Amino acid sequence: MRLQEDIDFTTLNWVKQELDETLRQARQALEAYAEDPADSSLMRFCATYLHQVQGTLRMVELYGAAMVVEEMEHVAQALLDDQIRVKDDAFASLLRGTLQLPDYLERLQSGHKDIPIVLLPLLNDLRACRGEKLLSEGVLFSPDLTVPLPASVKGPERPVAEAELRNVAGRLRINFQAALVKFLRDQGSSLAVTGLLNALDGLGSISFQEDARRLWWLASCLLDAIRSGDVDANAAVKLMYGRVDREIKRMVDAGEGAFRAEPPRELLKNLLYYIAQSKGSEGRIGEVKRIYQLDQLVATEQEIEQARDSMVGRNRAVLDTVSVAIKEDLLRVKDALDLFLRTANASVGDLSPQVELLDRIGDTLGVLGLGIPRRVIQEQRQSLSEITAGSRVAEEGILLDIAGALLFVEASLDDHIERMGSGDEPTATRNAAGDTSFELPQTEVRKILDSLMKEVQTNLQQIKQDVVAFVESGWEHAKAEHIPRLLDEVAGAVRMIHLNEAAELLGATAKFIEIELLRRRRVPTPDQMDRLADAVASIEFYLEATHAQRPGREQILDVTRDSLAALGYWPVPETPVFDEPAVASAAEPPPPAP
């Protein structure tokens, strides 16, 4: 795989749609297996799909991406063989691979360089799942080692006699080792570098076999870069010259035939990798760079950064699919909370599956790099976990706060995905109580409000319909039983963007309906219904004005406060306003609907 500017991705264009579809099927099989690990056929399907993707990538010579998919296939097989201890990490890494690879291929399809180094973190995460040794950057660097040597790298016209070759190589090795000891102690010593260069040049003059001459030449070129200060002689570089010494010993012991039978390809590749990092372009360094096209093989820091930015999940088809899946899971949790609240004597154990579901949602959001929604989900998961474990009481207010937070995540998900990768993450702060929260920039608040208002409008519309149904049914209180929950969901969502006063007023409105209409079964007077309608409408107007950033919007909440004060619920009384339940008279005409 090469980072050539003029690489032809026509073949990739032909197979890109097929690759995306196969990766999508692999992801679906993986998610299904995560939900039902007993069905091993699902993971076998996943592994089969990954094998197909790997073969296609190799066909179009995208070997870095193919290497990642190969590791994914190994992880899938290890899961099948029960050889992975931390399965959640393996699932997360596999899911990340199915999400990031379409982005990587989409970037190549648009004509950018193939920069496989940005796949290294994913590659190493996959290897770590299986307990394999992690790889260095050089593993994804693949120069063409068959390029003919330049005329300047001359050897003898005919092979040197075996005995003479070994004898001369033995003497040169002694000189090389003496200089190497000085070099290891002080890489800045010009005497040590000169001694190494003289030994390597001498080896080049007696080596007829091309791979041997290539090794001595490249090792000399890297020393030139070290001497000029273009390459730092770090520990890895020093170790490479220790390996060069072992190659000299191999020539002394077995002659040039050893290089013909087993060329030192890994060492040659590593030497070229460090030469490619050099900024020099003159002399032998420039000659190596031109022959091996190293400037095209190694990306600049800017190119790497841009490639990394493209690996954060901007593939719209994938994002849309994942977003729909997350919203479906959020809806399942909300429905479960709603059922629990409406069921008499419900067991907190019934909420246990929702803890696992929130775990999965959080992991998916984490894979996508959505820090804020993931943090919100983790907080709700912790609350729900404490409730199911019995360390926290399943109070209605707590469960409604959880539902409101989920509404916030659902409403802001599209906006977060749209901004993903921009680096505009809000900073975490700690309030007086010691709780960590996020302060959102005003620009972000407006974006989230845009999505949030759609969900709020849905809830408010349902509230209005329920109030109308309550009135038109002749005060059938069951028609109003969902209104407090809907109001509390909106309050929870509004609280997440720090509109705390509006959230408190919504909570007071919900408390009035819960106590007076549902618990006490009262029939409100026309004035009370007017006040209730004013409270709900003014909150709606306030949120719309906040979204539009209209001045003076705080005054709108005065209407809400006045309306709730007239109802006896602002401030919210510690003791309910009415002590005795009241039952409506059958002869009492219903007031007009709000």
Side-chain angles (χ1 to χ4, degrees), residues 571-582:
V572 180
E574 295 183 8
T575 303
V577 176
F578 302 109
D579 294 329
E580 297 297 330

Side-chain angles (χ1 to χ4, degrees), residues 32 108 159 202 209 224 227 292 327 330 347 383 400-401 438 443 450 483 527 530 574 580:
L108 298 184
Q209 210 280 331
D224 283 347
R227 184 162 55 182
Y292 289 96
K327 289 179 179 178
L330 288 170
S347 170
S383 298
L400 289 172
D401 278 346
F438 288 100
T443 55
D450 191 23
I483 297 177
D527 181 64
D530 287 343
E574 295 183 8
E580 297 297 330

Side-chain angles (χ1 to χ4, degrees), residues 223-473:
L223 284 170
D224 283 347
I226 293 171
R227 184 162 55 182
S228 64
D230 289 330
V231 172
D232 180 30
N234 55 32
V237 170
K238 292 176 180 178
L239 284 175
M240 275 198 300
Y241 281 97
R243 291 178 60 191
V244 171
D245 175 60
R246 290 196 291 276
E247 292 299 320
I248 301 174
K249 183 179 185 300
R250 197 154 69 104
M251 174 177 276
V252 173
D253 293 341
E256 287 190 291
F259 288 85
R260 187 179 302 107
E262 190 178 345
R265 297 191 181 280
E266 193 64 28
L267 180 54
L268 291 169
K269 187 176 74 170
N270 287 335
L271 288 168
L272 281 168
Y273 178 77
Y274 281 96
I275 293 172
Q277 309 304 313
S278 168
K279 296 180 181 178
S281 58
E282 302 297 329
R284 289 196 291 189
I285 291 294
E287 188 176 33
V288 172
K289 286 189 172 183
R290 286 190 297 274
I291 290 173
Y292 289 96
Q293 298 182 317
L294 296 185
D295 287 340
Q296 296 177 20
L297 283 168
V298 178
T300 65
E301 287 297 323
Q302 183 179 5
E303 288 171 331
I304 292 174
E305 191 62 31
Q306 290 173 348
R308 283 174 178 155
D309 287 344
S310 72
M311 292 288 291
V312 294
R314 290 180 178 172
N315 184 282
R316 295 311 308 174
V318 173
L319 288 179
D320 291 342
T321 301
V322 175
S323 177
V324 169
I326 292 174
K327 289 179 179 178
E328 288 176 352
D329 286 343
L330 288 170
L331 182 60
R332 290 192 190 100
V333 178
K334 288 168 58 181
D335 287 345
L337 294 174
D338 183 34
L339 181 62
F340 180 85
L341 290 171
R342 291 189 288 106
T343 303
N345 301 319
S347 170
V348 292
D350 296 338
L351 295 175
S352 295
Q354 312 316 314
V355 176
E356 297 178 5
L357 193 53
L358 288 175
D359 258 336
R360 189 174 73 187
I361 295 171
D363 288 343
T364 305
L365 293 172
V367 167
L368 293 175
L370 300 178
I372 299 174
R374 180 173 183 266
R375 179 59 182 270
V376 173
I377 290 296
Q378 286 178 326
E379 290 173 351
Q380 311 321 311
R381 186 262 180 210
Q382 181 63 29
S383 298
L384 201 56
S385 178
E386 292 172 358
I387 290 172
T388 57
S391 60
R392 191 172 187 177
V393 179
E395 296 177 353
E396 183 177 1
I398 295 175
L399 294 176
L400 289 172
D401 278 346
I402 293 174
L406 298 183
L407 181 66
F408 165 83
V409 172
E410 183 177 356
S412 61
L413 183 60
D414 291 337
D415 177 69
H416 276 288
I417 288 178
E418 192 68 33
R419 294 180 299 101
M420 192 165 53
S422 66
D424 186 22
E425 286 287 343
T427 55
T429 60
R430 192 168 292 274
N431 60 25
D435 296 327
T436 301
S437 60
F438 288 100
E439 288 189 358
L440 305 181
Q442 287 302 310
T443 55
E444 186 166 319
V445 171
R446 286 197 295 272
K447 290 179 179 178
I448 293 178
L449 271 175
D450 191 23
S451 300
L452 186 63
M453 278 303 298
K454 297 176 183 177
E455 301 297 329
V456 168
Q457 285 292 350
T458 300
N459 272 27
L460 291 175
Q461 188 63 32
Q462 185 60 52
I463 290 168
K464 294 174 185 177
Q465 291 176 3
D466 288 353
V467 171
V468 171
F470 172 58
V471 174
E472 292 181 346
S473 66

